[in-house]
Coordinates of all heavy atoms in Angstrom, one line a residue:
M16 N 109.4 117.5 128.6 CA 108.0 117.9 128.6 C 107.5 118.2 127.2 O 108.3 118.7 126.4 CB 107.9 119.2 129.4 CG 106.6 119.3 130.1 SD 106.4 120.5 131.4 CE 104.7 120.5 131.4
T17 N 106.3 117.9 126.9 CA 105.7 118.2 125.6 C 104.7 119.4 125.6 O 103.8 119.4 126.5 CB 105.1 116.9 125.0 OG1 106.0 115.9 125.0 CG2 104.6 117.2 123.6
F18 N 104.9 120.3 124.8 CA 104.0 121.5 124.7 C 103.4 121.5 123.3 O 104.0 121.1 122.3 CB 104.8 122.8 124.8 CG 105.6 122.9 126.1 CD1 107.0 122.6 126.1 CD2 105.0 123.3 127.3 CE1 107.7 122.7 127.3 CE2 105.7 123.4 128.4 CZ 107.1 123.1 128.5
K19 N 102.1 121.8 123.3 CA 101.3 121.9 122.1 C 100.8 123.3 122.0 O 100.1 123.8 122.9 CB 100.2 120.9 122.0 CG 100.6 119.5 121.8 CD 99.5 118.6 121.5 CE 100.0 117.2 121.2 NZ 99.3 116.5 120.2
L20 N 101.1 124.0 120.9 CA 100.6 125.4 120.7 C 99.9 125.5 119.4 O 100.4 125.0 118.4 CB 101.8 126.3 120.8 CG 102.6 126.3 122.1 CD1 103.9 125.5 121.9 CD2 103.0 127.7 122.5
K21 N 98.8 126.3 119.4 CA 98.1 126.6 118.2 C 98.7 127.9 117.7 O 98.7 128.9 118.4 CB 96.6 126.7 118.5 CG 95.8 127.2 117.3 CD 94.9 126.1 116.8 CE 94.2 126.6 115.5 NZ 93.2 125.7 115.1
V22 N 99.1 127.9 116.4 CA 99.7 129.1 115.8 C 98.9 129.3 114.5 O 99.2 128.8 113.4 CB 101.2 128.9 115.5 CG1 101.8 130.2 114.9 CG2 101.9 128.5 116.8
P23 N 97.8 130.1 114.6 CA 96.9 130.2 113.5 C 97.5 130.8 112.2 O 96.9 130.5 111.1 CB 95.8 131.2 114.0 CG 96.1 131.3 115.5 CD 97.5 130.9 115.7
D24 N 98.6 131.5 112.3 CA 99.2 132.1 111.1 C 100.0 131.2 110.2 O 100.5 131.5 109.2 CB 100.0 133.3 111.4 CG 99.2 134.5 112.0 OD1 98.0 134.5 111.8 OD2 99.8 135.3 112.7
I25 N 100.2 129.9 110.7 CA 100.9 129.0 109.9 C 100.2 128.7 108.6 O 99.0 128.3 108.6 CB 101.2 127.7 110.6 CG1 102.1 127.9 111.8 CG2 101.8 126.6 109.7 CD1 102.2 126.7 112.7
A26 N 100.8 129.0 107.4 CA 100.1 128.8 106.2 C 100.8 127.8 105.2 O 100.1 127.3 104.3 CB 100.0 130.2 105.4
C27 N 102.0 127.6 105.4 CA 102.7 126.7 104.5 C 104.0 126.1 105.1 O 104.3 126.4 106.3 CB 103.2 127.5 103.2 SG 104.4 128.7 103.6
Q28 N 104.7 125.3 104.4 CA 105.9 124.6 104.9 C 107.0 125.6 105.3 O 107.7 125.4 106.2 CB 106.4 123.6 103.9 CG 107.5 122.7 104.5 CD 107.0 121.9 105.7 OE1 105.9 121.4 105.8 NE2 107.9 121.8 106.7
G29 N 107.0 126.8 104.6 CA 107.9 127.8 104.9 C 107.8 128.3 106.3 O 108.7 128.6 107.0
C30 N 106.5 128.5 106.7 CA 106.2 129.0 108.1 C 106.7 127.9 109.0 O 107.3 128.2 110.1 CB 104.7 129.1 108.2 SG 103.9 130.4 107.2
A31 N 106.4 126.7 108.7 CA 106.8 125.6 109.6 C 108.3 125.5 109.8 O 108.8 125.4 110.9 CB 106.3 124.2 109.0
D32 N 109.0 125.8 108.7 CA 110.5 125.7 108.7 C 111.0 126.9 109.6 O 112.0 126.7 110.4 CB 111.1 125.8 107.3 CG 110.8 124.6 106.5 OD1 110.4 123.5 107.1 OD2 111.0 124.6 105.3
T33 N 110.4 128.1 109.4 CA 110.8 129.3 110.2 C 110.7 129.0 111.7 O 111.5 129.3 112.5 CB 110.0 130.5 109.7 OG1 110.2 130.7 108.3 CG2 110.4 131.7 110.5
I34 N 109.5 128.5 112.0 CA 109.2 128.3 113.4 C 110.1 127.2 114.0 O 110.7 127.3 115.1 CB 107.7 127.9 113.6 CG1 106.9 129.1 113.3 CG2 107.4 127.3 115.0 CD1 105.4 128.8 113.2
T35 N 110.3 126.1 113.2 CA 111.2 125.0 113.6 C 112.6 125.6 113.9 O 113.2 125.2 114.9 CB 111.2 123.9 112.6 OG1 109.9 123.4 112.4 CG2 112.2 122.8 113.0
Q36 N 113.1 126.4 113.0 CA 114.4 126.9 113.2 C 114.6 127.8 114.4 O 115.6 127.7 115.1 CB 114.9 127.7 111.9 CG 116.3 128.0 111.8 CD 117.2 126.7 112.0 OE1 117.0 125.7 111.3 NE2 118.1 126.6 113.0
S37 N 113.6 128.6 114.7 CA 113.7 129.5 115.8 C 113.6 128.7 117.1 O 114.3 129.0 118.1 CB 112.6 130.6 115.8 OG 111.3 130.0 116.0
L38 N 112.9 127.6 117.1 CA 112.8 126.7 118.3 C 114.1 125.9 118.5 O 114.6 125.7 119.6 CB 111.6 125.8 118.2 CG 110.3 126.5 118.4 CD1 109.1 125.6 118.0 CD2 110.1 127.0 119.8
L39 N 114.7 125.6 117.3 CA 116.0 124.9 117.4 C 117.1 125.8 117.9 O 118.1 125.4 118.6 CB 116.4 124.3 116.1 CG 115.6 123.0 115.7 CD1 116.0 122.6 114.3 CD2 115.8 121.9 116.7
N40 N 117.0 127.1 117.6 CA 118.0 128.1 118.1 C 117.8 128.2 119.6 O 118.8 128.4 120.3 CB 117.7 129.5 117.5 CG 118.1 129.5 116.0 OD1 118.8 128.7 115.5 ND2 117.6 130.5 115.3
L41 N 116.6 128.1 120.1 CA 116.3 128.2 121.5 C 116.9 126.9 122.2 O 117.5 127.0 123.2 CB 114.8 128.3 121.8 CG 114.3 128.2 123.2 CD1 114.7 129.4 124.0 CD2 112.8 128.0 123.2
E42 N 116.6 125.8 121.6 CA 117.0 124.5 122.2 C 117.3 123.5 121.1 O 116.5 122.8 120.6 CB 115.8 124.0 123.1 CG 116.2 122.7 123.8 CD 115.1 122.1 124.6 OE1 114.1 122.9 125.0 OE2 115.1 120.9 124.9
P43 N 118.6 123.4 120.8 CA 119.0 122.5 119.6 C 118.6 121.1 119.7 O 118.4 120.5 118.7 CB 120.6 122.6 119.7 CG 120.9 123.9 120.4 CD 119.8 124.1 121.4
S44 N 118.4 120.5 120.9 CA 118.0 119.1 121.0 C 116.5 118.9 121.1 O 116.0 117.8 121.2 CB 118.7 118.5 122.2 OG 118.3 119.1 123.3
A45 N 115.7 120.0 121.0 CA 114.3 119.8 121.1 C 113.8 119.1 119.8 O 114.3 119.1 118.8 CB 113.6 121.2 121.1
K46 N 112.7 118.3 120.1 CA 112.0 117.7 118.9 C 110.8 118.5 118.6 O 109.9 118.7 119.5 CB 111.6 116.2 119.3 CG 112.8 115.3 119.6 CD 112.3 113.9 119.5 CE 113.5 112.9 119.6 NZ 113.8 112.7 121.1
I47 N 110.7 118.9 117.4 CA 109.6 119.8 116.9 C 108.8 119.2 115.8 O 109.4 118.7 114.8 CB 110.3 121.2 116.5 CG1 111.0 121.8 117.7 CG2 109.2 122.1 116.0 CD1 112.2 122.5 117.4
Q48 N 107.5 119.3 115.9 CA 106.7 118.9 114.8 C 105.7 120.0 114.5 O 105.1 120.6 115.5 CB 105.8 117.7 115.2 CG 106.6 116.3 115.1 CD 105.6 115.2 115.3 OE1 104.9 115.1 116.2 NE2 105.6 114.3 114.3
V49 N 105.6 120.4 113.3 CA 104.6 121.4 112.9 C 103.6 120.8 111.9 O 104.0 120.2 110.9 CB 105.3 122.6 112.2 CG1 104.3 123.7 111.9 CG2 106.4 123.2 113.2
D50 N 102.3 120.8 112.3 CA 101.3 120.3 111.5 C 100.7 121.6 110.8 O 100.0 122.4 111.4 CB 100.2 119.6 112.4 CG 99.1 119.0 111.5 OD1 98.8 119.6 110.5 OD2 98.6 118.0 112.0
V51 N 101.0 121.7 109.5 CA 100.6 122.9 108.8 C 99.1 123.0 108.6 O 98.5 124.0 108.8 CB 101.3 122.9 107.4 CG1 100.8 124.1 106.5 CG2 102.8 123.0 107.5
S52 N 98.4 121.9 108.3 CA 97.0 122.0 108.1 C 96.2 122.2 109.4 O 95.2 122.9 109.5 CB 96.5 120.7 107.4 OG 96.8 119.6 108.1
A53 N 96.7 121.6 110.5 CA 96.0 121.9 111.8 C 96.6 123.1 112.5 O 96.0 123.6 113.5 CB 96.3 120.7 112.8
K54 N 97.7 123.7 112.0 CA 98.3 124.9 112.5 C 98.7 124.7 114.0 O 98.6 125.6 114.8 CB 97.4 126.1 112.4 CG 96.9 126.3 110.9 CD 96.1 127.6 110.8 CE 95.4 127.6 109.4 NZ 96.4 127.7 108.3
M55 N 99.2 123.5 114.2 CA 99.7 123.1 115.6 C 101.2 122.9 115.6 O 101.7 122.2 114.7 CB 99.0 121.8 116.0 CG 97.5 122.0 116.3 SD 97.1 123.0 117.7 CE 97.9 122.1 119.0
V56 N 101.8 123.4 116.6 CA 103.2 123.2 116.9 C 103.4 122.3 118.1 O 102.8 122.7 119.2 CB 104.0 124.5 117.0 CG1 105.5 124.2 117.3 CG2 103.8 125.4 115.8
T57 N 104.1 121.2 118.0 CA 104.4 120.3 119.1 C 105.9 120.4 119.4 O 106.7 120.1 118.5 CB 103.9 118.9 118.8 OG1 102.5 118.9 118.5 CG2 104.1 118.0 120.1
V58 N 106.2 120.7 120.6 CA 107.6 120.8 121.0 C 107.9 119.8 122.2 O 107.2 119.9 123.2 CB 108.0 122.2 121.5 CG1 109.5 122.3 121.7 CG2 107.5 123.2 120.4
E59 N 108.8 118.9 121.9 CA 109.3 118.0 123.0 C 110.6 118.6 123.5 O 111.6 118.6 122.8 CB 109.5 116.6 122.4 CG 109.1 115.5 123.4 CD 109.3 114.2 122.7 OE1 108.6 113.9 121.7 OE2 110.1 113.5 123.2
S60 N 110.5 119.1 124.7 CA 111.6 119.9 125.2 C 112.2 119.3 126.6 O 111.4 118.9 127.4 CB 111.2 121.3 125.5 OG 112.1 122.0 126.3
A61 N 113.5 119.4 126.7 CA 114.1 119.0 128.0 C 114.3 120.2 128.9 O 114.3 120.0 130.1 CB 115.4 118.3 127.7
T62 N 114.5 121.4 128.3 CA 115.0 122.5 129.2 C 114.2 123.8 129.0 O 114.3 124.6 129.9 CB 116.4 122.8 128.9 OG1 116.5 123.2 127.5 CG2 117.4 121.6 129.1
S63 N 113.4 123.9 128.0 CA 112.7 125.2 127.8 C 111.4 125.2 128.5 O 110.7 124.2 128.6 CB 112.5 125.4 126.3 OG 113.7 125.4 125.6
S64 N 111.0 126.4 128.9 CA 109.7 126.6 129.6 C 108.7 127.0 128.5 O 109.1 127.4 127.4 CB 109.8 127.8 130.6 OG 110.0 129.0 129.9
L65 N 107.5 126.9 128.8 CA 106.4 127.3 127.9 C 106.6 128.7 127.4 O 106.4 129.1 126.3 CB 105.0 127.1 128.5 CG 103.8 127.5 127.6 CD1 103.8 126.7 126.3 CD2 102.6 127.3 128.4
E66 N 107.0 129.5 128.4 CA 107.2 131.0 128.1 C 108.3 131.2 127.1 O 108.2 132.0 126.2 CB 107.4 131.7 129.4 CG 107.0 133.2 129.4 CD 105.7 133.4 128.8 OE1 104.7 132.8 129.1 OE2 105.6 134.3 127.9
N67 N 109.4 130.5 127.3 CA 110.5 130.6 126.3 C 110.1 130.1 124.9 O 110.5 130.7 123.9 CB 111.7 129.7 126.8 CG 112.4 130.3 128.0 OD1 112.3 131.5 128.3 ND2 113.1 129.4 128.7
I68 N 109.3 129.1 124.9 CA 108.9 128.5 123.6 C 108.0 129.5 122.9 O 108.1 129.8 121.7 CB 108.2 127.2 123.8 CG1 109.3 126.2 124.1 CG2 107.4 126.7 122.5 CD1 108.7 124.9 124.7
K69 N 107.1 130.1 123.7 CA 106.2 131.1 123.1 C 107.0 132.3 122.6 O 106.7 132.8 121.5 CB 105.2 131.6 124.2 CG 104.0 130.7 124.4 CD 103.1 131.3 125.5 CE 101.9 130.4 125.7 NZ 101.0 131.0 126.7
Q70 N 108.0 132.7 123.4 CA 108.8 133.9 122.9 C 109.5 133.6 121.6 O 109.6 134.5 120.8 CB 109.8 134.3 124.0 CG 109.2 135.2 125.1 CD 108.5 136.4 124.6 OE1 108.9 137.0 123.6 NE2 107.3 136.8 125.1
A71 N 110.0 132.4 121.5 CA 110.7 132.0 120.3 C 109.8 132.1 119.1 O 110.2 132.5 118.0 CB 111.4 130.6 120.4
I72 N 108.6 131.6 119.2 CA 107.6 131.6 118.1 C 107.2 133.0 117.8 O 107.2 133.4 116.6 CB 106.4 130.7 118.5 CG1 106.8 129.3 118.6 CG2 105.3 130.9 117.4 CD1 105.8 128.3 119.1
I73 N 107.0 133.8 118.8 CA 106.6 135.2 118.6 C 107.8 136.0 117.9 O 107.5 136.8 117.0 CB 106.3 135.9 119.9 CG1 104.9 135.3 120.4 CG2 106.2 137.4 119.8 CD1 104.6 135.6 121.9
S74 N 109.0 135.7 118.3 CA 110.1 136.5 117.7 C 110.4 136.0 116.3 O 111.0 136.7 115.5 CB 111.4 136.4 118.5 OG 111.8 135.1 118.6
A75 N 109.9 134.8 115.9 CA 109.9 134.4 114.5 C 108.8 135.1 113.7 O 108.8 134.9 112.5 CB 109.8 132.9 114.4
G76 N 107.9 135.8 114.3 CA 106.9 136.6 113.6 C 105.5 136.0 113.6 O 104.7 136.4 112.9
Y77 N 105.3 135.1 114.6 CA 104.0 134.4 114.6 C 103.3 134.7 115.9 O 103.9 134.9 117.0 CB 104.1 132.9 114.4 CG 104.6 132.7 113.0 CD1 106.0 132.6 112.7 CD2 103.7 132.5 111.9 CE1 106.4 132.4 111.4 CE2 104.2 132.3 110.6 CZ 105.5 132.3 110.4 OH 106.0 132.1 109.1
K78 N 102.0 134.6 115.9 CA 101.2 134.8 117.1 C 100.7 133.4 117.6 O 100.5 132.5 116.8 CB 100.0 135.7 116.9 CG 100.3 137.1 116.7 CD 99.1 138.0 116.5 CE 99.5 139.4 116.1 NZ 98.5 140.0 115.3
I79 N 100.5 133.3 118.9 CA 100.0 132.1 119.4 C 98.6 132.3 119.9 O 98.3 133.4 120.5 CB 100.9 131.6 120.6 CG1 102.3 131.3 120.1 CG2 100.3 130.5 121.4 CD1 103.4 131.6 121.0
E80 N 97.7 131.4 119.6 CA 96.3 131.6 119.9 C 96.1 131.2 121.4 O 96.7 130.3 121.9 CB 95.5 130.7 119.0 CG 94.0 130.9 119.1 CD 93.2 130.1 118.1 OE1 93.2 130.6 116.9 OE2 92.7 129.1 118.4
Ligands
LIG29 CU1 104.3 130.1 105.1

């Protein structure tokens, strides 16, 4: 399943890397794309729920719009 989330606090590639890493900790085989200028996170996941993905992003220190 593919999830798209808007994360307004993404400001730079460092934010993208932090979010990517926390999502990989949740699901190592997930495919993750972070668009820094659009502040969008796209997660292609086999096993994670939207709620789990949101929690991983929140615990990395970001809010979801
Ligand atoms: Cu940043």
Side-chain angles (χ1 to χ4, degrees):
M16 210 167 165
T17 302
F18 301 99
K19 287 191 179 216
L20 300 102
K21 174 114 184 184
V22 184
D24 294 341
I25 293 173
C27 67
Q28 189 58 43
C30 301
D32 292 344
T33 302
I34 290 169
T35 299
Q36 195 53 56
S37 71
L38 290 167
L39 287 175
N40 289 343
L41 173 71
E42 183 181 338
S44 62
K46 292 199 179 86
I47 298 142
Q48 279 190 308
V49 181
D50 184 328
V51 173
S52 56
K54 305 182 190 301
M55 291 291 299
V56 179
T57 305
V58 185
E59 216 180 297
S60 163
T62 59
S63 299
S64 69
L65 178 60
E66 205 45 48
N67 288 340
I68 289 166
K69 283 182 174 178
Q70 277 307 322
I72 294 173
I73 288 166
S74 65
Y77 295 89
K78 287 180 188 154
I79 294 146
E80 191 172 278

